Amino acid sequence: MFVSKRMTKYPVTVPPDTTLVAAIGIMQQNKFRRLPVIEDGKLVGFLNDHDLMRVAPSPATSLSRYETKEILGKLTVADIMRKNIVTVDDDATIEEAALVMYNNKISALPVLSKSGVLTGIITETDIFKTFVDVMGLIGGKTRITIEVENKVGVLKDIADIFFAAGLSLDSCITCKQPDGKYEIVVRGSIAESDKITEAIEQKGYKVIHTVKIG
């Protein structure tokens, strides 16, 4: 799956001379947490709700609402926006975007075309939604987790079992464990999971979890 299929396309943007009060209003009105900052068609900054919290007066302040608004009104987006922006290309995979977010400890990435034009934003919520879809956590499917050794032919064995039972696999995911073994998670429409489990274990593999989802 690619970032371009999962991102929020063509997000609302602001120029760097936008006042902070105006930026806050835009974010509150549209109920989102981030604003890309665009100048001359290029991404020059990125603003999120944490940046706003850094400059907002404390709730314990003695300032009046009018004074608070006046102070924020003197600031522009350019004063507090993040200029060292981590981005991702719109033809990157979801896995690449997730790794960039993980390594940089950030919750969102502006998405750029090859020519440097902002085309979207991918967020941690989009990544979570992709994970839910890939793992088939919605939709009434059966999910089977199998523990296997790291050896050639394992996936073929499992696929052959499903083929012999007249079943197709909706998804198959492998995950390496600390001990060097692998967990294989398969998902599909499996009416009689006990029979499939028995067939898998007859092949010498261990079924460690079976669940009907949805």
Side-chain angles (χ1 to χ4, degrees), residues 147-154 176 179-183 205:
E147 183 182 81
V148 303
E149 299 288 343
N150 182 17
K151 65 177 185 179
V152 176
V154 173
K176 189 174 183 179
D179 61 3
K181 294 181 180 180
Y182 279 79
E183 285 185 5
Y205 304 121

Side-chain angles (χ1 to χ4, degrees), residues 135-146 162 184-194 196-197 207-214:
M135 296 303 293
L137 301 180
I138 300 174
K141 303 292 184 177
T142 297
R143 182 175 177 273
I144 300 175
T145 305
I146 309 157
F162 277 78
I184 297 179
V185 180
V186 295
R187 178 178 63 90
S189 298
I190 306 169
E192 298 179 290
S193 58
D194 289 346
I196 290 293
T197 296
V207 175
I208 59 176
H209 186 255
T210 302
V211 63
K212 178 73 176 290
I213 302 170

